[in-house]
Amino acid sequence: HRVRAGTHVSYPTSRSGRFILGAASEETFGSRVSGRASDGIADHGIGEEDLDGLTGTFMVGRTAGGDSGRLSYGFDLSGAAGGRNGVSGSLRILKRL
C-alpha cells in the first residue's frame, strides 16, 4: 500500500521542447517481502524485509519534438531517498509512421 503526494511541472524551453521537474513524498505501509529470486546466472535468497517507511523522490528531465513532428524523444533521471534508496533513468524515442 502506498500514498504519494507531490508535484510535476513542465516548462517550455523552445518551440518543441520542455524541461520537466518533479518531486514527491511517498509513504509505504503493510509491505513485506521474502522468498527467492533467480535470473539464470545466480539464485538469491531474500530475507524477510519490511519496506514500510517514508521516501522522498525527485525527477528531472527533458522532452523534444512536438505533436506535429514525426520524431520525438525524452529522457529523465529520478532519485529516491528514505525508506527506499536508488537512482534510475530512462530514454524514450517515438517515431511516427
Side-chain angles (χ1 to χ4, degrees):
H1 300 65
R2 291 190 288 189
V3 175
R4 174 183 265 190
T7 187
H8 185 100
V9 178
S10 65
Y11 179 78
T13 55
S14 66
R15 192 170 156 206
S16 64
R18 299 184 86 67
F19 177 74
I20 302 165
L21 184 65
S25 178
E26 180 178 283
E27 178 70 29
T28 306
F29 54 94
S31 311
R32 296 204 182 275
V33 65
S34 63
R36 300 200 65 75
S38 177
D39 62 5
I41 296 173
D43 187 48
H44 305 280
I46 302 171
E48 186 170 319
E49 293 186 37
D50 184 355
L51 301 176
D52 293 351
L54 185 65
T55 300
T57 61
F58 182 82
M59 189 270 293
V60 62
R62 171 130 168 73
T63 62
D67 293 333
S68 61
R70 295 185 69 186
L71 179 67
S72 62
Y73 65 90
F75 59 89
D76 63 64
L77 182 64
S78 301
R84 291 175 292 130
N85 297 305
V87 176
S88 66
S90 67
L91 172 64
R92 298 167 306 281
I93 300 172
L94 174 63
K95 169 91 171 149
R96 291 180 181 86
L97 302 174

